[in-house]
């Protein structure tokens, strides 16, 4: 009895807390489409006086979906219901539609906004002032509706509106590394959201909410399966399942793409070869593509990982990447499909420097691919490290479309236990100057087709989505999905603007929350670089799981999977010499970039050990020796997580208790992981430097052997029976 009473009392306390703090329980499922009810009466009155809306003529499924979204948003935020009458058009009325759907109103839309752009403006329609949301196409209208709702979600004025926006990139695509058994390669948020077994019969509400979330930020494509593809995805049984997904996504302007296995003609078709120049192979692909389009008339195309990490590809048959990509492109061209051919290649011959391989293999093929092929290039030349310089292929293939590939899932960023807002990482790469067409040739200009208007453009993000209630595992990991969409729409946006919008839409408009938490977000990636891989270190994490530190790894399957291959620590110093006295990877960059990074005096600290092998006693800009500087970075990185925790603690009561507690606990894990990274790396590198850790710092809690011996079981994201490793 007493226990029951106690239980009830604590439940009541929680309820009270929720009521008093004016924030309700929230599991994060709604992402940034929370549409929380406005509670500030002044704001409510402000918007209610401005807005009335009508049921607009929704002549297509997409317009109907836009209508439904608007109703949900206005009802949830302002309890605003649509007007019954359809005649009123006054300054409070929202008028929504395309020139065709609003035929009687004689609306015009300038061609310059393109097929996916939109206008939101206060204007005269039928001689009456109103708010018009319009576009050339239905999907443009939907983007306009989402952006209008964003104005309310972020409490902006709706007076005198004059907004015109359009995407700078055509293909804005999420890449799911989801396997058909529902495991997700490098996925840290549960299983795959595609419930293959129940498809096509059962349409999970998640598919619809996934599509809404994507459309709200302008994502218009989804590669639904792992780049390490299973040939089965092209079998009729799976095409039926994909068709069911495509039917949902279509309403929200999202096309489906699949990753294909290059040897599918053999594995699925029973042919003897998958040689791309073999007529029977060409025919098999052409027939298969026709079959796919008979199920999904607006199918997007293929993503291909070929001749990399054991995957088959044209080189398996003595042919080139061009032969392989063009053969698939020819099959897709009659249907306007595209091939996204990945440049992340490294084969069994271990190169002198893995960072050089993609450039060496692809650069000679500039201008040789069909115009519906786009080469998908990771942001950096190794593999989604916490920090990498931009990939040297950007700008180096002026006659070939290059598509950016970012990784949203935090394979090398602490999985979904670490708060790492990736927008600063994206921006760092996008705003890097390649100098390939003179000063100002930023990666952003290259991938938006700024130097060659004829090329198709794209950006891909490796998804961080799974069946976890909050989709991404960490409440703040949702911000990386959101930021990706925003950058794919406009790569020149600022990380701060995106964080601001996301926080307001996802949590609250309380500036006492938004401003300190935005600061945390903007600093978080640098903090993580500091406690994991400061000063240009890279690839020193646990072998195969990629979780936690593993700078000692020297016995992986091949040399370039070992941490020691990358940091090259010895008694003299540390770092990978990529200057002309080393691997000369720097020669792949333009002279201005190469010159800057090659010279120790100008090379930024951030890239120092990426490009140079430097003495432990080398005097850094700060005046510290390299050793002391390295130690300083590791300690300040871990310290910054403590600071982040202190800030978050103060947010109690400003957000719902559920998400507050979840973030709080995850920060506890992040701190212990940051301390582990710090202590393991400092102790390990000390075995080479033989220099002391300055006495201002606390001593590591354990000896090096303790960290080396740590074991982790069933680490997520690697699948199979690969259950344990450090
Ligand atoms: C690496 C991942 C691996 C992926 C590969 C890729 O460790 O799981 O298959 O990239 O991008 O980062 O193909």
């Amino acid at each position: 009895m007493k226990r029951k009473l106690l239980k009830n009392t604590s439940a009541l306390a929680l309820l009270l807390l929720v009521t008093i703090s004016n924030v309700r329980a929230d599991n994060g499922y709604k992402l940034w489409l929370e549409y929380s009810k406005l509670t500030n009466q002044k704001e409510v009155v402000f918007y209610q006086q401005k807005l009335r809306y009508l049921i607009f003529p929704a002549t297509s499924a997409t317009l109907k979906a836009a209508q439904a979204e608007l109703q949900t948003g206005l009802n949830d935020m302002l309890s605003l219901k649509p007007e019954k009458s359809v005649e009123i058009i006054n300054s409070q009325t929202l008028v929504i539609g395309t020139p065709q759907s609003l035929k009687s109103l004689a609306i015009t839309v300038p061609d310059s906004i393109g097929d996916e752009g939109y206008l939101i403006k206060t204007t005269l329609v039928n001689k009456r002032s109103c708010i018009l949301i319009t576009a050339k196409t239905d999907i443009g209208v939907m983007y306009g509706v989402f952006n209008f709702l964003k104005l309310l979600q972020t409490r902006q004025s709706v007076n005198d509106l004059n907004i015109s926006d359009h995407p700078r990139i055509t293909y804005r695509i999420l890449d799911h590394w989801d396997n058909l058994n529902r495991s997700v390669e490098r996925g840290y948020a549960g299983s795959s959201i595609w419930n293959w077994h129940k498809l096509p019969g059962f349409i999970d509400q998640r598919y619809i909410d996934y599509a809404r979330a994507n459309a709200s930020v302008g994502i218009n494509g989804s590669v639904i399966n792992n780049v390490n593809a299973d040939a089965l995805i092209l079998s009729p049984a799976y095409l039926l399942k994909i068709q069911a997904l495509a039917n949902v996504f279509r309403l929200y302007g999202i096309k489906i793409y699949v990753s294909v296995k290059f040897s599918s003609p053999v594995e699925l078709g029973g042919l003897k070869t998958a040689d791309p120049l073999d007529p029977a192979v060409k025919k098999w692909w052409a027939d298969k593509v026709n079959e796919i389009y008979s199920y999904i008339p607006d199918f997007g195309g293929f993503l291909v990982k070929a001749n990399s990490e054991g995957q088959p590809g044209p080189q398996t048959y003595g042919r080139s990447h061009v032969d392989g990509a063009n053969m698939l492109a020819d099959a897709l061209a009659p249907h306007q499909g595209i091939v996204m051919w990945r440049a992340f290649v490294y084969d069994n011959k271990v190169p002198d420097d893995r960072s050089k391989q993609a450039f060496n293999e692809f650069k000679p093929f500039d201008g040789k691919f069909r115009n519906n092929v786009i080469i998908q290039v990771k942001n950096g030349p190794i593999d989604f490290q916490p920090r990498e310089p931009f990939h040297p292929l950007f700008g180096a293939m002026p006659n070939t479309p290059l598509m950016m590939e970012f990784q949203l899932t935090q394979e090398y960023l602490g999985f979904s236990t670490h708060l790492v807002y990736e927008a600063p990482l994206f921006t760092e790469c996008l705003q890097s100057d390649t100098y390939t067409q003179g000063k100002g040739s930023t990666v952003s200009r290259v991938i938006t087709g700024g130097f060659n208007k004829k090329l198709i453009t794209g950006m891909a993000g490796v998804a961080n989505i799974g069946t976890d209630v909050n989709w991404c595992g960490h409440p703040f990991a949702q911000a990386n999905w959101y930021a990706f969409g925003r950058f794919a729409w406009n790569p020149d946006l600022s990380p701060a603007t995106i964080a601001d919008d996301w926080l307001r839409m996802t949590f609250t408009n309380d500036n006492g929350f938004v401003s300190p938490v935005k600061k945390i977000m903007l600093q978080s990636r640098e903090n993580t670089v500091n406690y994991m891989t400061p000063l240009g270190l890279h690839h020193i994490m646990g072998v195969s799981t990629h979780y936690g530190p593993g700078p000692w790894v020297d016995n992986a399957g091949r040399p370039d999977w070992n941490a020691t291959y990358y940091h090259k620590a010895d008694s003299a110093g540390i770092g990978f010499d990529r200057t002309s006295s080393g691997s000369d990877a720097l020669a792949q960059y333009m002279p201005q970039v190469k010159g800057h990074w090659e010279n120790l005096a100008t090379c930024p600290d951030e890239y120092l050990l990426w490009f140079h092998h430097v003495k432990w006693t080398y005097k850094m800009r700060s005046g510290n020796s390299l050793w002391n500087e390295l130690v300083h970075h590791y300690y300040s990185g871990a310290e910054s997580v403590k600071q982040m925790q202190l800030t978050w603690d103060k947010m109690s009561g400003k957000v719902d208790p559920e998400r507050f507690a979840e973030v709080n606990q995850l920060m506890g894990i992040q701190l212990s992981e940051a301390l582990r990274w710090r202590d393991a790396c400092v102790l390990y590198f000390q075995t080479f430097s033989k220099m002391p850790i300055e006495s201002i710092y606390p001593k590591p809690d354990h000896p090096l052997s303790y960290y080396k011996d740590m074991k982790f079981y069933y680490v997520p994201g690697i699948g199979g029976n690969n259950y344990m490793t450090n």
Side-chain angles (χ1 to χ4, degrees), residues 177 185-186 227-228 305 309 342 344 378 383-384 411-412 546:
W177 285 0
E185 182 152 344
R186 310 307 177 184
V227 284
N228 297 315
K305 171 174 176 176
E309 298 186 321
R342 295 179 85 225
F344 178 73
K378 289 189 180 181
D383 191 10
F384 299 138
E411 177 181 356
Y412 298 98
H546 299 172

Side-chain angles (χ1 to χ4, degrees), residues 29-256:
Y29 178 83
K30 291 186 176 178
L31 296 158
W32 48 91
L33 301 177
E34 282 276 334
Y35 301 139
S36 309
K37 183 131 340 275
L38 272 67
T39 48
N40 177 327
Q41 269 317 302
K42 261 201 206 146
E43 287 175 352
V44 175
V45 172
F46 173 82
Y47 286 122
Q48 280 180 345
Q49 279 177 350
K50 306 273 172 237
L51 300 174
R52 300 177 70 176
Y53 78 103
L54 311 173
I55 296 290
F56 55 87
T59 47
S60 71
T62 296
L63 285 179
K64 283 197 180 92
Q67 173 106 260
E69 194 68 35
L70 189 74
Q71 289 199 27
T72 306
L74 293 183
N75 184 45
D76 289 2
M77 286 189 278
L78 293 162
S79 307
L80 214 60
K81 307 269 187 267
E83 300 280 328
K84 297 246 162 30
S85 159
V86 277
E87 283 148 36
I88 327 156
I89 291 186
N90 61 25
S91 60
Q92 298 163 318
T93 311
L94 289 173
V95 176
I96 298 169
T98 60
Q100 294 84 351
S101 73
L102 299 170
K103 241 186 233 128
S104 60
L105 299 180
I107 285 163
T108 53
V109 178
D111 261 357
S112 55
I113 66 167
D115 281 345
E116 294 175 296
Y118 62 85
L119 301 175
I120 306 177
K121 56 179 185 177
T122 309
T123 186
L124 291 180
V125 172
N126 275 1
K127 302 203 185 101
R128 306 267 185 93
S129 172
C130 64
I131 298 175
L132 173 66
I133 304 179
T134 189
K136 278 170 64 182
T137 59
D138 296 347
I139 189 63
V141 171
M142 176 170 290
Y143 292 152
V145 164
F146 273 115
N147 280 283
F148 177 75
L149 289 170
K150 173 152 75 87
L151 294 178
L152 306 186
Q153 288 176 284
T154 56
R155 306 292 186 270
Q156 294 178 54
S157 167
V158 290
N159 288 335
D160 302 324
L161 293 169
N162 192 9
I163 300 171
S164 160
D165 204 1
H166 66 276
R168 317 300 190 269
I169 286 178
T170 305
Y171 297 97
R172 308 179 295 278
I173 299 183
L174 277 182
D175 288 0
H176 290 262
W177 285 0
D178 294 18
N179 297 312
L180 300 186
N181 65 5
R182 296 194 76 181
S183 63
V184 181
E185 182 152 344
R186 310 307 177 184
Y188 314 109
S191 313
S192 167
I193 56 172
W194 319 130
N195 192 339
W196 292 113
H197 187 65
K198 289 186 178 167
L199 279 166
F202 173 66
I203 300 299
D204 193 328
Q205 176 65 30
R206 275 218 178 216
Y207 306 151
I208 299 163
D209 292 331
Y210 164 86
R212 287 173 55 232
N214 280 337
S216 76
V217 283
I219 292 170
N220 66 359
S222 179
V223 180
I224 49 171
N225 62 319
N226 193 355
V227 284
N228 297 315
D230 187 328
L232 262 186
I233 193 79
L234 296 177
S235 64
Y238 278 90
L239 292 181
L240 264 180
K241 296 169 194 282
I242 300 171
Q243 179 188 48
L245 289 176
N247 290 345
V248 174
F249 294 177
R250 185 171 301 117
L251 310 190
Y252 295 89
I254 299 163
K255 283 191 178 179
I256 288 211

Side-chain angles (χ1 to χ4, degrees), residues 479-493:
N480 294 331
W481 175 7
Y482 179 82
F484 166 73
R486 298 289 301 273
F487 279 122
W489 182 277
N490 180 356
D492 296 326
L493 287 176

Side-chain angles (χ1 to χ4, degrees), residues 301-535:
F302 294 149
L303 172 64
V304 192
K305 171 174 176 176
N307 294 116
S308 177
E309 298 186 321
Q311 291 300 323
Q315 293 172 349
T316 317
Y317 309 94
R319 311 296 182 191
S320 70
H321 287 294
V322 174
D323 297 330
N326 286 353
M327 181 270 295
L328 294 176
D330 289 343
L332 287 157
H335 306 278
Q336 280 77 51
I338 63 164
V339 175
M340 295 170 282
W341 191 269
R342 295 179 85 225
F344 178 73
V345 294
Y346 65 99
D347 56 26
N348 300 334
K349 295 183 274 347
V350 176
D352 60 331
D353 179 355
R354 188 174 124 192
S355 84
K356 288 166 40 179
Q357 192 167 347
F359 182 97
N360 288 344
E361 286 206 28
F362 280 86
K363 163 100 178 127
F365 294 137
D366 185 28
K368 304 227 160 73
F369 291 97
R370 299 277 192 269
N371 58 14
N372 58 335
V373 174
I374 187 162
I375 304 300
Q376 183 166 308
V377 184
K378 289 189 180 181
N379 57 287
I382 295 285
D383 191 10
F384 299 138
Q385 296 303 294
R387 170 166 277 131
E388 297 196 32
F390 68 89
H391 201 299
L393 272 177
F394 290 114
M397 297 181 71
N399 303 306
T400 307
L402 295 190
M403 172 172 191
M404 174 63 73
E405 180 176 346
F406 285 129
Q407 191 182 46
L408 318 182
T409 191
Q410 293 170 230
E411 177 181 356
Y412 298 98
L413 290 167
F415 298 6
S416 50
T417 49
H418 293 213
L419 189 165
V420 184
Y421 175 52
E422 294 168 340
L425 183 162
F426 303 158
T427 288
E428 191 172 286
C429 173
L430 291 165
Q431 299 309 326
S432 293
D433 200 338
T434 68
Y435 281 91
T436 45
Q437 308 279 330
K439 195 168 163 46
S441 312
T442 57
V443 172
S444 164
R445 274 185 82 187
V446 171
I447 63 161
T448 50
F451 298 107
N452 188 343
K453 296 276 177 236
K454 281 192 256 146
L455 305 180
I456 57 175
T457 54
M459 188 186 282
V462 178
N464 57 355
I465 297 165
T467 50
D468 278 8
V469 176
N470 70 11
W471 300 82
C472 301
H474 193 304
F476 278 79
Q478 297 176 354
N480 294 331
W481 175 7
Y482 179 82
F484 166 73
R486 298 289 301 273
F487 279 122
W489 182 277
N490 180 356
D492 296 326
L493 287 176
S494 89
T497 305
I498 297 173
D500 199 276
D501 286 343
W502 179 78
L503 283 168
R504 289 173 193 280
M505 295 163 84
T506 308
F507 287 104
T508 168
N509 274 277
D510 177 352
N511 283 326
F513 175 85
V514 174
S515 132
V517 178
K518 184 166 58 180
K519 250 195 179 150
I520 289 185
M521 288 175 74
L522 292 171
Q523 186 54 40
S524 60
R525 184 272 189 140
E526 200 60 40
N527 296 345
T528 301
V529 168
N530 282 336
Y531 62 72
M532 286 187 180
T533 53
L535 301 176

